[in-house]
Each structure stands twice: as structure tokens, then as C-alpha cells.
Amino acid sequence: MRRSDPSARRLDGYAPLRDYAAIGDGRTVALVARDGSVDWLPVPDLDSPTVFAAVLDDERGGRFVLEPEVAYRVERRYLPDTNVLETTFHTASGSARVSDALTLPGEGLEPFRELQRRIMGLAGTVRFHWRVEPRFDYGGASPRFGRRFGLPVAGCGADAVGLIAFGAGASAAGWSGAFETAHGSSHLLVLSMAHQEPLVFPSRGELDARFERTGEIWRRWTAERTYDGPWREAVIRSALALKLLVFSPSGAVAAAATTSLPEEIGGERNWDYRYSWIRDSAFTLEAFLRLGCPAEARAYFWWLMHTTQLDAPRLGVLYGLDGRRRASERELSLHGYRGSRPVRIGNGAADQLQLDTYGELMQTAWLYAEAGNMIDHDVGRRLGGFADFVAANWRTADSGIWEVRSEPRHFTQSKMMCVVALDRAVQLAERGSLPRRHLDRWLREAAAARRFVGSQCYSERHRSYVRSAGSEELDASVLLGLLHGFGDDAARLSSTVDAIATGLAEGVLVRRYSGGDGVPGSEGAFLACSFWLVEALARIGRVDEAADRMDELVGLANDVGLYSEEIDPAGEFLGNLPQGLSHLGLISAAAAVAEASS
Amino acid sequence: MTVAGALAGGLIGTLVLTSLMRAANELKLTRMDLPFLLGTALSGNRARAKAVGYALHFCFGLVFALGYYAVFAAIGSAGWGLGAAFGLLHGVFAGTALVNVLLPVVHPRMGSPMTGAGDAPLLEPPGFMLRNYGVQTPLVAIAAHVAYGSIVGGFSSLGG
């Protein structure tokens, strides 16, 4: 995917969210703007405090600027089949390319984390300037600056960064500089990062080899993916984006790589998404299986079953990437993206009751077993406990998939997913993966919940399942219930799809729901819902309509194929990015259209 | 003080430690499962891993008891209290270095802070003081090791 458009632009110091590309190493993710500035980098892990957070505070957040000194035009792409970013700057005097990567670990003595920025002259000359402003703890801590072997270092508590420059015209202080590229010239800036250990300063040869190896590992990973259907380029890019969100040390998958990128510019709908939501588990596992990632699927399922162990038979809404159940929410004194405050870390939704998560987890277990994996006795016993919990509690009001902060309600999608949970428990028990002693109860309660949804959650006026029992509001999440196997009434499924397509969609973009949620302000269209509608259309046989929508949605990705959580009518990104659920929706919708077409 | 006493203490101590950890599992205090962690180093099959892990766990229990005995012999003293102090040290060492740092490095199926996107390990690393497996894990692990150490110390002193 290679496009070009007018040179990068900032508003009040903030780049449009659409301008960000993501690079990562399976532990952390950095955001790189079109103008070459690294504006987000938590260290050492994706959910750690940041070294660079200019995307949340232009003045205090810290950044790594690398930009031509004169007017330029930008072209960007990922190096094919990798998460290595290439930004090509074209100026009146020449062109140069910046290649950015968080390098992947090998066998040798390497920095704990490493950001490489390699600059190569392509034609003529381009004069660059660069500046590194390391801040720690989301800009809230004062670093101690110094020098080691003549190289600039900055430290704070257990964290430190050091800068290594080759041919980059470093200033006396070492944290900034300027240089000029010529045809074929090579320049290198490396940020070596340490956590609870000394800094490592690699040689030029080691750096070159590691950069090459990083590209090779990504290419090898991509070559192993088996998807060969339509929109393959977008699906593979989504797979690579999803892989960035896989926290390799544990197998957990983060919902997004950032916190508090706003759902409304200037608004307060700013949340920390650097956690793993059970809600996303079925889509995640299915995507791994569809893409031919058995190792990731297995690691994710093991992580899910291991990390939910202490809460069983209840489920947390979300878990830390290291498996810890701590997500206490607090606000940081940062300016926020274009004044969107508060900036939050942690997530208060962790303590909500969300019944849909049980359906998601049971669906995940079902998909895992269907793929030929064994569910052992201990896991089966625990899954049986979740089903028992659902059988006993499906009548309870909850906060629903959208985590409303208003009073709990009887959300339709939650009840649908309770039915899915019990149905899957019955199926797993019948194949011997779960204990059978409560089978009759699961069957009885599934039937009762199904009757409740059919009688209380369907509006004859809208000819659609609605947001909650007795309401007349629409909710795109009911598509999810239908996609995961709730109900067998084809007419109701079809009319619900129509109602959402007319009531919540503007063009191809679909809003989450109508009605309030207990948080002031509004939001954009939700990209995952837009993809769910495509998948639902494909499932009911309206393949051409689904494909047309899909074409348009694929065209809404940014220049490097990434999506955030939401998008406004002008096409600007809103919310955290890259957003796993958006990319999962794309993968699932593409596969559904492919299946329906064949 | 005899080697046989120390070994008997190691066997009984490991039984008690294992039972305490297993009970803590059931009481939802921790997700820590030492035999499982050890066994998965040799097998990716959960059931087989647990069987192998229990055998390994008891072997390690005896080896550590011999280590305790060597120190008791060197200082010429053993007892329930001294053993408990060794157990406390042992528990802290396990949480800060042995299981936290060394196990992820040698365990082929466990992630570590250095695991990158090229790998997909099956087991999450335990973290400092094993807290990734539940915030109560340090307390449980240390209490179990204190019990183990006390029994090894006591049995060592009883053995002649």
C-alpha cells in the first residue's frame, strides 16, 4: 500500500490520528507520525509508562523528532510483509528514506528494547534535523541526564535510555543534531532502552545485523499465514497490526496500543485500552485460526484459561497483559490529545458485570476445541463453572459490551451471549470436554434466556432486536450475538440487519447504538460495528452488498493500512490505535464474504 | 543431625508445601502451580506435564533439603526455628530470582521480558515475587517455604 498526499500537518502541535503508523517488537509499540516524529513509546512494555507521549501532551510528553529542514512531501509504507516502517521524504533538493523499527531480540547481548531509525539518501541532498526529548512516567518524572562512553544517556528509577548516532551530526549535548543526506548515504540513530539492568551499547555491525534479522523474522511470520481470500493485502496488514498487539511474553492480546486517544476531540471519552478484554477473545481466536496462527491461538487460549483462574466461576471484564487483575483507573495531569481530557491510565470498567464475556469465552473454547485442540480436565471443569454461573445469573442486569457507566440494564446482546455460552457448554459437554452433570440445567436455562430475548428484546416497530429489554433503541452489538450463533429465526436476523443498516449507519459507517450511556459527549462511527454489518450481510446471503461495503471500508484505512477505534464523517480517526477489534472485524468480515462467495 | 533426617524432612516438607500451595489454588489465592511450571518445561501436554512436574518437584524438595543440611552441618546447628528462617530466605529467593528470573530463562515454554514477536510461548512469566499469578502469591509462597524449611530443620535436628 503506497500513497502520497500533501506533507504532514499538525494542529496545535498534534498530528491527526490518521497520520500515525505503529511499529513494535511484541513487547511494546511506538507511534510514528507522517512528519517522522515518534510521539508514543511506553517502555519496557506496551502497558508501561512512556518515554515519549507527545501524542497526549505536546509540551511535556516527550518525542523523537526526525524531519527535513525544508518543505517536503511524504510517502509511507511498511516494508512488504513486515512491521518495519519506511517514510520517504521528498524535498525540492532531493529525497531520503527513514526506516523505523523496534528490533526483535535474538541470541546475543542486546538492549532490553531498541528503536532503530535508519536514514538513507535516495537522490540529491536533504538536510535533516533531529531531537530526542526523553521523558519518563508519562512526562511526570524528571530524568537524570549524563554521558557514558561519550554517549548521552537519561535515566529515571529503573528505566534508562541511551542514544547512539552514526553520521547524524550530533550536537555537543548529544540529544539533537543535523545532517545532510546524499545519494546512497547512510545515517543511523538508535535509542537503546534498559529496564532494571544496565544499558547496552551495540556496535554498528550488530545494529545492522539485527535490523536485517528483524525484517526477516517479520517476513517469515507473514509467509506462514494461510489466508488467500479477497482483500488479502488488507487482511495481512491487519494480521501484522494484530501481531503488534500480542504481548509476546504472555500471549495476551491488547485491545489497542495507546491510552486516552479521544473518541471525541476535546471530549472526555478517553480510555486506557492497553489491557486484554475477554470480550474480544472469540474474534481473536477465530482470526488466529483463520490466518493460520496455531501457536498464537494456543498461547492465547492458555493465557485466557490461566489468567481467569482466580476469578472463576466469575470473569473479569479485562486483564493486565501480564495476567494481573489490576486496572485501577487514575487521571494524569497531561494536556490530552488536542485538549481531550482527562488522560486516564487503568480502566474502571474492570469491575463491571458484563455477562456477554461468558458467551465470548465459551465461544472461544468451542472454536479452540473445534480446531482439534484438547480441553483438559481442569480447564473443562472451569468452563463448566462459567456455564453454571451463567445459568444462575443470566437474569441479572449488567453493564453490557459497551461498558456503559449508567445504571445496569438487561442488554440484549448480553442475554444473547448468555444463550451462546450455554449452547456451547452443552456442545462441549456432549463431546466430552466438559462435565455433563449440569447439562439439563444448561439446556433449560438456555431455552429460557432464548425465550426472554425473543419476547422482551425484539421490537415489532423497528422489526429488530433492540438495545435492551423493553427499549426502542438500536444497538449494533446485537449483530455480534447473531454472528456468534444466537437464534435461528432467519427473518428476524435479516430484518435486524436492515434496521441497523438504516438506523445506525451513515454510508458504510455504523454507530454503536442510539440512546445514552452515562458519559457526556458524543462519538464517531465504530469501525468494528461497520465490519460486523458486512459480515452479517454476507451471512444472510447479501454478498454483493457486503462486498461493496467492504471495498469502501478497506479504503478508509490510513496510508499504511491501520485503523483506530472510530472514524468521523470527515474520515478522521478517533480513539485508540491501532485498534485490535477494528482489525479483527476486518479479518472476520473478509473471511465471511469469501466463504459466502464460494 | 543426619542426612537421613534432612531427607525425611525434605520429603515431608515438600508434601506440606505442595498441599499448602494446592489449597491456596482452590481458595483462589494464587494461580501458582509449581509442579505444572516444572512439568511444562519437559512436556506441552498439560496432563503429562503435571505428572512429570510432581516427580520433579519432589526431587527438588530432596535436593534443597540436602542443601539445607549442608548449611546446618557447616554452622553446627539445626532446628525448627532456624529451618523456618532458611525457608523464609528460600521463599524470598524463589520469588525474586529463582522462579522470577531463572525459570523463564531456561523454561522452553515460558515467556520472559525478552520474548519478542518472533516467539509465542505458552506460559506467562511469573513476574517479581510471582505476583503475575495473583497478588497474594508472595504471601502464599513464602508461608509454604517457611513451613518446608521448618520441617527440614526440625527433622534434621531430630535425626540423631
Side-chain angles (χ1 to χ4, degrees):
Chain A
M1 184 172 294
R2 185 190 280 260
R3 295 176 194 160
S4 66
D5 56 317
S7 66
R9 69 283 187 203
R10 285 185 178 250
L11 197 61
D12 303 328
Y14 294 92
L17 296 180
R18 177 173 273 281
D19 278 10
Y20 284 105
I23 54 174
D25 60 3
R27 291 84 57 98
T28 191
V29 171
L31 293 185
V32 188
R34 282 179 66 82
D35 60 13
S37 178
V38 179
D39 289 345
W40 177 257
L41 178 57
V43 175
D45 299 327
L46 196 149
D47 57 354
S48 302
T50 54
V51 173
F52 303 134
V55 70
L56 292 177
D57 194 315
D58 175 48
E59 290 178 7
R60 284 184 298 155
R63 57 158 52 97
F64 189 153
V65 174
L66 174 60
E67 191 178 25
E69 287 186 345
V70 296
Y72 56 83
R73 184 173 59 82
V74 182
E75 232 181 332
R76 281 198 313 185
R77 66 166 190 168
Y78 283 107
L79 206 57
D81 298 334
T82 75
N83 276 316
V84 177
L85 180 69
E86 278 190 357
T87 306
T88 305
F89 294 98
H90 301 283
T91 70
S93 60
S95 302
R97 178 188 299 143
V98 176
S99 300
D100 290 315
L102 281 163
T103 56
L104 299 179
E107 300 298 322
L109 175 59
E110 298 153 346
F112 203 73
R113 307 288 182 261
E114 180 182 85
L115 168 65
Q116 287 199 27
R117 313 201 72 183
R118 310 176 80 87
I119 306 96
M120 174 173 273
L122 298 177
T125 60
V126 180
R127 188 157 179 81
F128 278 87
H129 68 97
W130 56 272
R131 187 175 73 253
V132 183
E133 300 168 359
R135 304 285 183 267
F136 292 86
D137 198 13
Y138 304 102
S142 303
R144 179 194 294 256
F145 291 96
R147 279 187 172 270
R148 306 281 185 275
F149 316 118
L151 300 173
V153 299
C156 183
D159 299 296
V161 298
L163 187 71
I164 308 162
F166 294 95
S171 65
W175 291 107
S176 62
F179 60 92
E180 190 168 271
T181 64
H183 175 68
S185 68
S186 171
H187 318 260
L188 177 57
L189 290 162
V190 178
L191 195 69
S192 171
M193 296 165 264
H195 176 72
Q196 295 181 343
E197 65 174 38
L199 279 163
V200 175
F201 296 107
S203 67
R204 178 72 190 250
E206 289 168 331
L207 290 164
D208 293 346
R210 189 153 50 248
F211 189 85
E212 283 303 312
R213 187 172 172 279
T214 296
E216 281 168 23
I217 291 173
W218 283 120
R219 278 188 289 275
R220 196 163 60 235
W221 187 84
T222 304
E224 290 167 359
R225 307 292 64 87
T226 53
Y227 182 82
D228 200 24
W231 303 287
R232 187 175 189 282
E233 189 182 358
V235 169
I236 293 300
R237 177 48 52 197
S238 288
L240 281 159
L242 190 61
K243 183 67 174 166
L244 287 180
L245 300 176
V246 175
F247 183 61
S248 297
S250 70
V253 183
T258 54
T259 179
S260 297
L261 297 184
E263 294 173 12
E264 178 189 29
I265 301 299
E268 61 180 77
R269 293 167 178 262
N270 317 316
W271 316 109
D272 192 349
Y273 275 19
R274 298 171 300 162
Y275 292 89
S276 192
W277 264 258
I278 302 295
R279 173 194 73 190
D280 300 345
S281 60
F283 265 124
T284 303
L285 195 94
E286 192 161 25
F288 282 149
L289 295 174
R290 278 179 161 150
L291 294 165
C293 308
E296 283 82 357
R298 201 153 166 248
Y300 180 57
F301 188 73
W302 273 52
W303 178 83
L304 268 179
M305 295 317 302
H306 198 222
T307 208
T308 54
Q309 195 174 324
L310 288 185
D311 293 323
R314 292 190 68 128
L315 272 178
V317 172
L318 53 95
Y319 291 88
L321 302 180
D322 54 10
R324 275 183 277 182
R325 177 88 193 280
R326 49 111 181 88
S328 52
E329 190 173 290
R330 68 186 176 93
E331 297 176 3
L332 301 175
S333 58
L334 293 176
H335 184 259
Y337 178 81
R338 291 176 59 193
S340 306
R341 281 187 295 271
V343 171
R344 296 182 175 93
I345 55 171
N347 199 305
D351 298 323
Q352 291 182 345
L353 174 66
Q354 295 178 18
L355 287 168
D356 64 293
T357 55
Y358 295 85
E360 296 282 356
L361 188 70
M362 296 302 290
Q363 175 77 1
T364 304
W366 169 249
L367 292 168
Y368 184 75
E370 279 283 280
N373 296 295
M374 195 183 83
I375 291 182
D376 68 76
H377 175 73
D378 277 358
V379 169
R381 197 164 56 98
R382 237 176 294 144
L383 290 170
F386 292 132
D388 289 340
F389 180 87
V390 173
N393 292 283
W394 70 264
R395 292 176 177 80
T396 310
D398 73 339
S399 298
I401 186 174
W402 301 129
E403 306 177 345
V404 298
R405 300 207 171 190
S406 50
E407 284 299 303
R409 290 159 72 168
H410 292 283
F411 286 103
T412 302
Q413 193 262 354
S414 295
K415 306 300 182 201
M416 285 177 164
M417 292 309 293
C418 286
V419 174
V420 171
L422 294 167
D423 282 351
R424 296 294 172 259
V426 169
Q427 288 169 304
L428 285 166
E430 284 173 344
R431 60 187 289 164
S433 300
L434 263 63
R436 296 174 61 94
R437 60 198 162 93
H438 295 150
L439 198 61
D440 289 343
R441 186 182 181 208
W442 297 341
L443 283 165
R444 194 172 60 244
E445 293 300 329
R450 189 175 272 112
R451 278 196 303 276
F452 178 87
V453 174
S455 61
Q456 306 294 314
C457 303
Y458 185 81
S459 162
E460 290 297 343
R461 180 160 77 87
H462 290 295
R463 298 192 63 230
S464 171
Y465 291 105
V466 287
R467 191 175 174 201
S468 60
S471 88
E472 290 293 338
E473 296 162 358
L474 293 175
D475 182 351
S477 73
V478 300
L479 293 173
L480 207 51
L482 299 169
L483 294 176
H484 284 324
F486 170 84
D488 44 16
D489 189 328
R492 281 192 169 190
L493 171 57
S494 183
S495 64
T496 297
V497 170
D498 280 332
I500 287 168
T502 54
L504 290 178
E506 287 177 33
V508 293
L509 295 173
V510 179
R511 283 179 296 122
R512 289 194 287 184
Y513 44 77
S514 57
D517 56 13
V519 182
S522 62
E523 61 178 27
F526 204 78
L527 281 160
C529 295
S530 309
F531 286 115
W532 296 344
L533 182 57
V534 170
E535 186 171 349
L537 284 165
R539 294 274 185 92
I540 60 174
R542 288 152 65 175
V543 182
D544 290 343
E545 195 180 336
D548 289 346
R549 280 180 172 270
M550 191 70 184
D551 281 337
E552 218 172 313
L553 284 168
V554 166
L556 291 176
N558 75 358
D559 59 327
V560 290
L562 298 186
Y563 293 91
S564 63
E565 181 182 34
E566 300 181 7
I567 195 163
D568 76 8
E572 287 300 333
F573 280 3
L574 295 168
N576 288 306
L577 71 116
Q579 178 80 10
L581 200 55
S582 300
H583 287 282
L584 288 167
L586 184 149
I587 294 166
S588 194
V593 175
E595 283 164 19
S597 302
S598 61
Chain B
M1 199 188 312
T2 64
V3 172
L7 287 173
L11 183 67
I12 305 294
T14 307
L15 271 174
V16 171
L17 181 145
T18 310
S19 303
L20 284 173
M21 295 295 287
R22 185 72 201 130
N25 275 175
E26 290 297 329
L27 293 171
K28 300 192 184 306
L29 296 174
T30 180
R31 292 187 279 121
M32 181 77 178
D33 186 340
L34 280 171
F36 181 66
L37 292 182
L38 293 173
T40 47
L42 298 176
S43 172
N45 178 299
R46 295 178 73 106
R48 196 174 306 132
K50 287 206 171 180
V52 172
Y54 269 100
L56 273 177
H57 186 51
F58 275 88
C59 288
F60 282 132
L62 295 176
V63 170
F64 275 110
L66 289 176
Y68 278 41
Y69 173 77
V71 182
F72 291 146
I75 62 176
S77 175
W80 300 93
L82 188 61
F86 281 21
L88 175 66
L89 186 64
H90 184 176
V92 171
F93 176 66
T96 54
L98 188 64
V99 182
N100 174 34
V101 178
L102 297 179
L103 188 62
V105 170
V106 299
H107 198 302
R109 293 181 178 82
M110 181 179 281
S112 81
M114 292 305 289
T115 303
D119 294 310
L122 288 172
L123 289 173
E124 58 178 323
F128 181 66
M129 289 307 283
L130 323 175
R131 286 182 305 168
N132 289 2
Y133 299 155
V135 290
Q136 314 265 35
T137 305
L139 290 177
V140 172
I142 287 174
H145 280 87
V146 167
Y148 167 85
S150 181
I151 292 168
V152 173
F155 274 63
S156 296
S157 67
L158 291 176

Coordinates of all heavy atoms in Angstrom, one line a residue, chain A residues 214-252:
Chain A
T214 N 15.4 -8.5 11.9 CA 14.0 -8.1 12.3 C 13.1 -8.2 11.1 O 12.0 -8.7 11.1 CB 14.0 -6.7 12.9 OG1 14.8 -6.7 14.1 CG2 12.6 -6.2 13.2
G215 N 13.6 -7.7 9.9 CA 12.8 -7.7 8.7 C 12.5 -9.2 8.3 O 11.4 -9.6 7.9
E216 N 13.6 -10.0 8.4 CA 13.5 -11.4 8.1 C 12.4 -12.1 8.9 O 11.6 -12.9 8.4 CB 14.8 -12.1 8.2 CG 15.8 -11.9 7.0 CD 17.2 -12.3 7.4 OE1 17.3 -13.2 8.2 OE2 18.1 -11.8 6.7
I217 N 12.5 -11.9 10.2 CA 11.5 -12.5 11.1 C 10.1 -12.2 10.8 O 9.2 -13.0 10.7 CB 11.8 -12.2 12.6 CG1 13.1 -12.8 13.0 CG2 10.7 -12.7 13.5 CD1 13.6 -12.4 14.4
W218 N 9.9 -10.9 10.5 CA 8.5 -10.5 10.1 C 8.1 -11.1 8.8 O 7.0 -11.6 8.7 CB 8.4 -8.9 10.0 CG 8.4 -8.2 11.3 CD1 9.2 -7.3 11.8 CD2 7.4 -8.3 12.3 NE1 8.9 -6.8 13.0 CE2 7.7 -7.5 13.4 CE3 6.2 -9.1 12.4 CZ2 6.9 -7.3 14.5 CZ3 5.4 -9.0 13.6 CH2 5.8 -8.1 14.6
R219 N 9.0 -11.1 7.8 CA 8.7 -11.7 6.5 C 8.4 -13.2 6.7 O 7.4 -13.7 6.1 CB 9.8 -11.5 5.5 CG 9.8 -10.1 4.9 CD 10.8 -10.0 3.7 NE 12.1 -10.0 4.2 CZ 12.8 -8.9 4.7 NH1 12.2 -7.7 4.6 NH2 14.0 -8.9 5.1
R220 N 9.1 -13.9 7.5 CA 8.9 -15.3 7.7 C 7.5 -15.5 8.4 O 6.8 -16.4 8.0 CB 10.0 -15.9 8.6 CG 10.1 -17.4 8.6 CD 11.4 -17.9 9.1 NE 11.7 -17.5 10.5 CZ 12.8 -16.9 10.9 NH1 13.7 -16.5 10.0 NH2 13.0 -16.6 12.1
W221 N 7.2 -14.7 9.4 CA 5.9 -14.8 10.0 C 4.8 -14.6 9.1 O 3.8 -15.4 9.0 CB 5.9 -13.8 11.2 CG 4.6 -14.0 12.0 CD1 4.5 -14.8 13.1 CD2 3.4 -13.3 11.9 NE1 3.2 -14.7 13.6 CE2 2.5 -13.8 12.9 CE3 2.9 -12.3 11.0 CZ2 1.2 -13.4 13.0 CZ3 1.6 -11.9 11.1 CH2 0.7 -12.4 12.1
T222 N 4.9 -13.6 8.2 CA 3.9 -13.3 7.3 C 3.7 -14.5 6.2 O 2.6 -14.8 5.8 CB 4.1 -12.0 6.5 OG1 4.3 -11.0 7.5 CG2 3.0 -11.6 5.6
A223 N 4.9 -15.0 5.8 CA 4.8 -16.1 4.8 C 4.1 -17.3 5.3 O 3.6 -18.1 4.5 CB 6.2 -16.5 4.4
E224 N 4.0 -17.5 6.6 CA 3.4 -18.6 7.2 C 1.8 -18.5 7.3 O 1.1 -19.4 7.6 CB 3.9 -18.9 8.6 CG 5.4 -19.5 8.6 CD 6.0 -19.4 9.9 OE1 5.4 -19.0 10.9 OE2 7.2 -19.9 10.0
R225 N 1.3 -17.3 7.0 CA -0.1 -17.1 7.1 C -0.8 -17.7 5.9 O -0.3 -17.6 4.8 CB -0.5 -15.6 7.2 CG 0.3 -14.8 8.3 CD -0.1 -15.2 9.7 NE 0.1 -16.6 10.2 CZ 1.3 -17.0 10.7 NH1 2.3 -16.2 10.9 NH2 1.4 -18.3 11.1
T226 N -2.0 -18.2 6.2 CA -2.6 -19.1 5.2 C -3.8 -18.4 4.4 O -4.3 -19.0 3.5 CB -3.1 -20.4 5.8 OG1 -4.0 -20.0 6.9 CG2 -2.0 -21.2 6.3
Y227 N -4.1 -17.2 4.8 CA -5.3 -16.6 4.2 C -5.0 -16.2 2.8 O -4.0 -15.6 2.4 CB -5.7 -15.3 5.0 CG -6.9 -14.6 4.4 CD1 -8.2 -15.0 4.7 CD2 -6.8 -13.6 3.5 CE1 -9.3 -14.5 4.2 CE2 -7.9 -13.0 2.9 CZ -9.2 -13.4 3.3 OH -10.3 -12.9 2.7
D228 N -5.9 -16.6 1.9 CA -5.7 -16.4 0.5 C -7.0 -15.9 -0.2 O -7.2 -16.1 -1.4 CB -5.2 -17.7 -0.2 CG -4.5 -17.4 -1.5 OD1 -4.0 -16.3 -1.7 OD2 -4.5 -18.3 -2.4
G229 N -7.8 -15.2 0.5 CA -9.1 -14.8 0.0 C -9.0 -13.3 -0.5 O -7.9 -12.8 -0.7
P230 N -10.2 -12.7 -0.7 CA -10.2 -11.3 -1.2 C -9.7 -10.4 -0.1 O -9.6 -10.7 1.1 CB -11.7 -11.1 -1.4 CG -12.4 -12.1 -0.6 CD -11.5 -13.3 -0.5
W231 N -9.3 -9.2 -0.6 CA -8.7 -8.1 0.3 C -7.5 -8.7 1.1 O -7.3 -8.3 2.2 CB -9.8 -7.6 1.3 CG -11.0 -7.0 0.6 CD1 -11.1 -5.9 -0.2 CD2 -12.3 -7.6 0.5 NE1 -12.3 -5.7 -0.7 CE2 -13.1 -6.8 -0.3 CE3 -12.8 -8.8 1.1 CZ2 -14.4 -7.1 -0.5 CZ3 -14.1 -9.1 0.8 CH2 -14.9 -8.3 0.0
R232 N -6.7 -9.5 0.4 CA -5.6 -10.2 1.1 C -4.6 -9.2 1.7 O -4.2 -9.3 2.8 CB -4.9 -11.1 0.1 CG -3.8 -11.9 0.9 CD -3.2 -13.0 0.1 NE -2.3 -13.9 0.9 CZ -1.2 -13.5 1.4 NH1 -0.6 -12.3 1.1 NH2 -0.5 -14.3 2.2
E233 N -4.3 -8.1 0.9 CA -3.4 -7.1 1.4 C -3.8 -6.5 2.7 O -3.1 -6.4 3.7 CB -3.1 -6.1 0.4 CG -2.0 -5.1 0.7 CD -1.8 -4.0 -0.4 OE1 -2.5 -4.0 -1.4 OE2 -0.9 -3.2 -0.2
A234 N -5.1 -6.2 2.8 CA -5.7 -5.5 4.0 C -5.7 -6.6 5.1 O -5.5 -6.2 6.3 CB -7.1 -5.0 3.7
V235 N -6.1 -7.8 4.8 CA -6.1 -8.8 5.8 C -4.7 -9.1 6.4 O -4.6 -9.2 7.7 CB -6.8 -10.1 5.3 CG1 -6.6 -11.3 6.2 CG2 -8.2 -9.9 5.0
I236 N -3.7 -9.2 5.6 CA -2.4 -9.5 6.1 C -1.9 -8.3 6.9 O -1.2 -8.4 7.9 CB -1.4 -9.8 4.9 CG1 -1.8 -11.1 4.3 CG2 0.0 -9.8 5.4 CD1 -1.8 -12.3 5.2
R237 N -2.2 -7.1 6.4 CA -1.8 -5.9 7.2 C -2.5 -5.9 8.6 O -1.9 -5.6 9.6 CB -2.1 -4.6 6.4 CG -1.7 -3.3 7.2 CD -0.4 -3.3 7.8 NE 0.7 -3.6 6.9 CZ 1.9 -4.0 7.3 NH1 2.2 -4.0 8.7 NH2 2.9 -4.2 6.5
S238 N -3.7 -6.3 8.6 CA -4.5 -6.4 9.8 C -3.8 -7.5 10.7 O -3.8 -7.3 12.0 CB -5.9 -6.7 9.6 OG -6.6 -5.6 9.1
A239 N -3.4 -8.6 10.1 CA -2.8 -9.6 10.9 C -1.5 -9.1 11.5 O -1.2 -9.4 12.7 CB -2.4 -10.8 10.0
L240 N -0.7 -8.3 10.8 CA 0.5 -7.8 11.3 C 0.2 -6.7 12.4 O 1.0 -6.6 13.4 CB 1.3 -7.1 10.2 CG 2.1 -8.1 9.3 CD1 2.4 -7.6 7.9 CD2 3.4 -8.6 10.0
A241 N -0.9 -6.0 12.2 CA -1.2 -5.0 13.2 C -1.7 -5.7 14.5 O -1.3 -5.3 15.6 CB -2.4 -4.1 12.7
L242 N -2.4 -6.8 14.3 CA -2.8 -7.6 15.5 C -1.6 -8.2 16.2 O -1.6 -8.3 17.4 CB -3.7 -8.7 15.0 CG -4.5 -9.6 16.0 CD1 -5.4 -8.7 16.8 CD2 -5.3 -10.7 15.3
K243 N -0.6 -8.7 15.4 CA 0.6 -9.2 16.0 C 1.3 -8.2 16.8 O 2.0 -8.6 17.8 CB 1.5 -9.8 14.8 CG 2.7 -10.5 15.3 CD 2.5 -11.8 16.0 CE 3.8 -12.5 16.3 NZ 3.6 -13.6 17.2
L244 N 1.2 -6.9 16.4 CA 1.8 -5.9 17.3 C 1.2 -5.8 18.6 O 1.8 -5.4 19.6 CB 1.7 -4.5 16.6 CG 2.6 -4.2 15.4 CD1 2.3 -2.8 14.9 CD2 4.1 -4.4 15.7
L245 N -0.1 -6.2 18.7 CA -0.8 -6.1 20.0 C -0.7 -7.4 20.8 O -1.2 -7.4 21.9 CB -2.3 -5.8 19.7 CG -2.6 -4.5 18.9 CD1 -4.1 -4.3 18.6 CD2 -2.1 -3.3 19.8
V246 N -0.1 -8.4 20.2 CA 0.1 -9.6 21.0 C 1.3 -9.3 21.9 O 2.4 -9.0 21.5 CB 0.4 -10.8 20.1 CG1 0.8 -12.0 21.0 CG2 -0.8 -11.1 19.2
F247 N 1.1 -9.4 23.2 CA 2.2 -9.3 24.2 C 2.9 -10.6 24.3 O 2.5 -11.5 25.0 CB 1.6 -8.8 25.5 CG 2.6 -8.5 26.6 CD1 3.6 -7.5 26.4 CD2 2.7 -9.2 27.8 CE1 4.5 -7.2 27.3 CE2 3.6 -8.9 28.7 CZ 4.6 -8.0 28.5
S248 N 4.0 -10.7 23.6 CA 4.7 -12.0 23.4 C 5.1 -12.7 24.7 O 5.0 -13.9 24.8 CB 5.9 -11.8 22.5 OG 5.5 -11.3 21.3
P249 N 5.5 -12.0 25.8 CA 5.9 -12.7 27.0 C 4.8 -13.5 27.6 O 5.0 -14.5 28.2 CB 6.3 -11.6 28.0 CG 6.8 -10.5 27.1 CD 5.9 -10.5 25.9
S250 N 3.5 -13.1 27.3 CA 2.4 -13.9 28.0 C 1.4 -14.5 27.0 O 0.7 -15.4 27.3 CB 1.6 -13.0 28.9 OG 0.9 -12.0 28.2
G251 N 1.4 -14.0 25.7 CA 0.4 -14.4 24.8 C -0.9 -13.6 24.8 O -1.8 -13.8 24.0
A252 N -1.0 -12.7 25.8 CA -2.2 -11.8 25.9 C -2.3 -10.9 24.6 O -1.3 -10.6 24.0 CB -2.2 -11.0 27.1

